[in-house]
PDB file of all heavy atoms in Angstrom:
ATOM      1  N   ASN A  93     159.344  90.378 122.475  1.00 97.00           N
ATOM      2  CA  ASN A  93     160.666  91.029 122.543  1.00 97.00           C
ATOM      3  C   ASN A  93     160.573  92.531 122.326  1.00 97.00           C
ATOM      4  O   ASN A  93     161.247  93.300 122.993  1.00 97.00           O
ATOM      5  CB  ASN A  93     161.620  90.422 121.499  1.00 97.00           C
ATOM      6  CG  ASN A  93     162.007  89.015 121.877  1.00 97.00           C
ATOM      7  OD1 ASN A  93     161.791  88.609 123.019  1.00 97.00           O
ATOM      8  ND2 ASN A  93     162.545  88.267 120.940  1.00 97.00           N
ATOM      9  N   ILE A  94     159.738  92.940 121.365  1.00 97.00           N
ATOM     10  CA  ILE A  94     159.597  94.381 121.106  1.00 97.00           C
ATOM     11  C   ILE A  94     158.929  95.046 122.311  1.00 97.00           C
ATOM     12  O   ILE A  94     159.304  96.135 122.715  1.00 97.00           O
ATOM     13  CB  ILE A  94     158.769  94.649 119.821  1.00 97.00           C
ATOM     14  CG1 ILE A  94     159.380  93.938 118.612  1.00 97.00           C
ATOM     15  CG2 ILE A  94     158.628  96.144 119.549  1.00 97.00           C
ATOM     16  CD1 ILE A  94     160.565  94.585 117.980  1.00 97.00           C
ATOM     17  N   LYS A  95     157.935  94.348 122.873  1.00 97.00           N
ATOM     18  CA  LYS A  95     157.255  94.878 124.073  1.00 97.00           C
ATOM     19  C   LYS A  95     158.266  95.139 125.171  1.00 97.00           C
ATOM     20  O   LYS A  95     158.214  96.159 125.856  1.00 97.00           O
ATOM     21  CB  LYS A  95     156.229  93.857 124.573  1.00 97.00           C
ATOM     22  CG  LYS A  95     154.817  94.154 124.162  1.00 97.00           C
ATOM     23  CD  LYS A  95     153.875  93.205 124.884  1.00 97.00           C
ATOM     24  CE  LYS A  95     152.683  92.926 124.022  1.00 97.00           C
ATOM     25  NZ  LYS A  95     152.180  91.572 124.109  1.00 97.00           N
ATOM     26  N   LYS A  96     159.201  94.204 125.335  1.00 97.00           N
ATOM     27  CA  LYS A  96     160.215  94.316 126.390  1.00 97.00           C
ATOM     28  C   LYS A  96     161.098  95.548 126.139  1.00 97.00           C
ATOM     29  O   LYS A  96     161.356  96.333 127.051  1.00 97.00           O
ATOM     30  CB  LYS A  96     161.062  93.038 126.387  1.00 97.00           C
ATOM     31  CG  LYS A  96     161.958  92.906 127.567  1.00 97.00           C
ATOM     32  CD  LYS A  96     162.503  91.467 127.665  1.00 97.00           C
ATOM     33  CE  LYS A  96     163.672  91.428 128.621  1.00 97.00           C
ATOM     34  NZ  LYS A  96     164.956  91.433 127.951  1.00 97.00           N
ATOM     35  N   ILE A  97     161.490  95.731 124.893  1.00 96.00           N
ATOM     36  CA  ILE A  97     162.344  96.892 124.551  1.00 96.00           C
ATOM     37  C   ILE A  97     161.582  98.193 124.838  1.00 96.00           C
ATOM     38  O   ILE A  97     162.119  99.132 125.418  1.00 96.00           O
ATOM     39  CB  ILE A  97     162.796  96.837 123.075  1.00 96.00           C
ATOM     40  CG1 ILE A  97     163.657  95.598 122.818  1.00 96.00           C
ATOM     41  CG2 ILE A  97     163.559  98.103 122.665  1.00 96.00           C
ATOM     42  CD1 ILE A  97     163.919  95.290 121.360  1.00 96.00           C
ATOM     43  N   LEU A  98     160.293  98.213 124.440  1.00 96.00           N
ATOM     44  CA  LEU A  98     159.484  99.427 124.664  1.00 96.00           C
ATOM     45  C   LEU A  98     159.379  99.721 126.152  1.00 96.00           C
ATOM     46  O   LEU A  98     159.515 100.868 126.585  1.00 96.00           O
ATOM     47  CB  LEU A  98     158.090  99.251 124.059  1.00 96.00           C
ATOM     48  CG  LEU A  98     158.007  99.205 122.526  1.00 96.00           C
ATOM     49  CD1 LEU A  98     156.602  98.829 122.082  1.00 96.00           C
ATOM     50  CD2 LEU A  98     158.408 100.541 121.912  1.00 96.00           C
ATOM     51  N   LYS A  99     159.186  98.667 126.929  1.00 96.00           N
ATOM     52  CA  LYS A  99     159.065  98.835 128.391  1.00 96.00           C
ATOM     53  C   LYS A  99     160.352  99.430 128.950  1.00 96.00           C
ATOM     54  O   LYS A  99     160.320 100.365 129.757  1.00 96.00           O
ATOM     55  CB  LYS A  99     158.762  97.484 129.032  1.00 96.00           C
ATOM     56  CG  LYS A  99     158.226  97.600 130.416  1.00 96.00           C
ATOM     57  CD  LYS A  99     157.770  96.283 130.967  1.00 96.00           C
ATOM     58  CE  LYS A  99     157.391  96.493 132.437  1.00 96.00           C
ATOM     59  NZ  LYS A  99     157.288  95.222 133.127  1.00 96.00           N
ATOM     60  N   GLU A 100     161.469  98.902 128.500  1.00 95.00           N
ATOM     61  CA  GLU A 100     162.769  99.407 128.972  1.00 95.00           C
ATOM     62  C   GLU A 100     162.945 100.896 128.628  1.00 95.00           C
ATOM     63  O   GLU A 100     163.613 101.636 129.320  1.00 95.00           O
ATOM     64  CB  GLU A 100     163.910  98.598 128.355  1.00 95.00           C
ATOM     65  CG  GLU A 100     164.088  97.227 129.007  1.00 95.00           C
ATOM     66  CD  GLU A 100     164.892  96.251 128.162  1.00 95.00           C
ATOM     67  OE1 GLU A 100     165.426  96.657 127.101  1.00 95.00           O
ATOM     68  OE2 GLU A 100     164.959  95.080 128.554  1.00 95.00           O
ATOM     69  N   LYS A 101     162.340 101.287 127.513  1.00 94.00           N
ATOM     70  CA  LYS A 101     162.457 102.683 127.074  1.00 94.00           C
ATOM     71  C   LYS A 101     161.395 103.576 127.718  1.00 94.00           C
ATOM     72  O   LYS A 101     161.323 104.766 127.430  1.00 94.00           O
ATOM     73  CB  LYS A 101     162.320 102.764 125.549  1.00 94.00           C
ATOM     74  CG  LYS A 101     163.511 102.191 124.822  1.00 94.00           C
ATOM     75  CD  LYS A 101     163.302 102.313 123.315  1.00 94.00           C
ATOM     76  CE  LYS A 101     164.515 101.805 122.553  1.00 94.00           C
ATOM     77  NZ  LYS A 101     165.713 102.605 122.763  1.00 94.00           N
ATOM     78  N   GLY A 102     160.501 102.960 128.476  1.00 95.00           N
ATOM     79  CA  GLY A 102     159.435 103.730 129.129  1.00 95.00           C
ATOM     80  C   GLY A 102     158.323 104.124 128.169  1.00 95.00           C
ATOM     81  O   GLY A 102     157.576 105.071 128.424  1.00 95.00           O
TER      82      GLY A 102
END
Side-chain angles (χ1 to χ4, degrees):
N93 290 345
I94 304 281
K95 260 188 211 143
K96 191 166 165 260
I97 297 168
L98 291 172
K99 197 173 174 195
E100 284 162 6
K101 289 180 177 295

